[in-house]
Amino acid sequence: MKECGEGMENLYGKEYNRLIAEDPNMKTLESFLKKSSKLDAKLLTHATFLKKPWWAAKKDLPVAVRALQQVGVIQSAGAFCDLIQFGRHRLLPIPNTEFFQEGPESEKFWIALVLLRSIGLHEMIQDSFNIDMKAEAGNATYKEAPGVKAFPRSMVKALEYMKTKNMVEWEDIACAGLHVIDGLRCSFSVDTVEENIAMGRRLEAKFPVVRT
């Protein structure tokens, strides 16, 4: 804890002291955007704004494969066999059959397929996302994420959401991966609190924001 406290002091202590000296009544801090959500936690999912893939609810494997092909996740029948039989795929850094070994009757099988399609959709719009975000940076330093959020971590979160959001209907369970909403990420670095606030307000003015 001591080491953590020292680290926080090194990161923010100087800026905090400067802010207190310039603004002893803390008016600037009071203008910070409050953490809030415009949606219930269960609605923080891509399915709130996009149609759920019906093929997952119906367990229609041929249509699922076609959907994965359409977003560039699967290139051929052989590639799909590699994924299902051996857990080999470019989105799985280490081959892993855990999610597919029980076949189309298991929850994880369909959650994984829906999540892979979601990642494929994110890959398709990643360049546009970064162009739009960078255009709002102004004087801030913009940093892209090194790619779409990885499948292994996203799958862990999907299974976690399935439990914490008490999903019981099959359609909701199969689409648990759509609750992973931070597939595309970026960061803006600024020098002052005022710039931080201004950056947040620019983003809120330009883009729909469901949680701050």
Side-chain angles (χ1 to χ4, degrees):
M1 290 297 292
K2 180 179 179 182
E3 182 179 347
C4 179
E6 291 175 348
M8 292 293 288
E9 179 65 26
N10 290 334
L11 282 172
Y12 304 113
K14 185 176 180 180
E15 179 63 18
Y16 177 78
N17 291 335
R18 183 194 67 78
L19 184 60
I20 292 295
E22 294 182 1
D23 185 15
N25 294 321
M26 305 298 280
K27 295 296 183 183
T28 301
L29 284 181
E30 288 179 4
S31 68
F32 262 61
L33 299 173
K34 302 295 188 295
K35 182 178 180 181
S36 63
S37 178
K38 299 178 182 178
L39 291 175
D40 180 88
K42 287 188 176 182
L43 296 177
L44 285 173
T45 164
H46 292 297
T48 297
F49 308 98
L50 302 171
K51 289 183 179 180
K52 293 179 181 178
W54 65 265
W55 46 262
K58 300 291 186 181
K59 297 185 179 180
D60 191 324
L61 190 54
V63 177
V65 176
R66 194 176 304 121
L68 293 174
Q69 185 179 32
Q70 289 172 342
V71 298
V73 170
I74 293 296
Q75 305 295 337
S76 65
F80 185 70
C81 290
D82 273 351
L83 173 66
I84 301 304
Q85 293 181 317
F86 308 111
R88 290 198 298 252
H89 191 274
R90 64 177 178 83
L91 294 176
L92 279 68
I94 300 175
N96 187 342
T97 61
E98 174 190 355
F99 310 119
F100 309 103
Q101 60 188 1
E102 296 179 15
E105 294 307 312
S106 74
E107 293 177 347
K108 288 183 179 179
F109 183 91
W110 291 101
I111 293 172
L113 294 189
V114 171
L115 182 56
L116 286 169
R117 175 179 176 270
S118 181
I119 291 174
L121 288 170
H122 281 75
E123 288 181 330
M124 293 174 70
I125 65 171
Q126 183 177 10
D127 289 343
S128 295
F129 170 82
N130 283 314
I131 289 171
D132 287 345
M133 291 294 107
K134 190 173 183 179
E136 299 302 317
N139 294 325
T141 300
Y142 177 76
K143 185 176 180 180
E144 298 179 7
V148 177
K149 190 169 186 175
F151 173 82
R153 177 58 180 161
S154 295
M155 189 66 181
V156 169
K157 296 301 295 183
L159 296 175
E160 178 183 311
Y161 290 138
M162 183 180 68
K163 294 180 179 179
T164 59
K165 296 188 178 185
N166 299 313
M167 299 179 195
V168 293
E169 299 295 332
W170 167 245
E171 183 178 281
D172 295 328
I173 292 172
C175 295
L178 299 182
H179 288 257
V180 182
I181 60 174
D182 59 343
L184 293 175
R185 299 144 296 155
C186 65
S187 64
F188 300 91
S189 300
V190 295
D191 295 324
T192 68
V193 173
E194 291 82 2
E195 289 178 296
N196 190 329
I197 295 171
M199 181 78 249
R201 287 178 174 159
R202 283 204 305 277
L203 292 174
E204 283 208 315
K206 182 70 178 291
F207 303 102
V209 176
V210 298
R211 183 173 64 184
T212 59

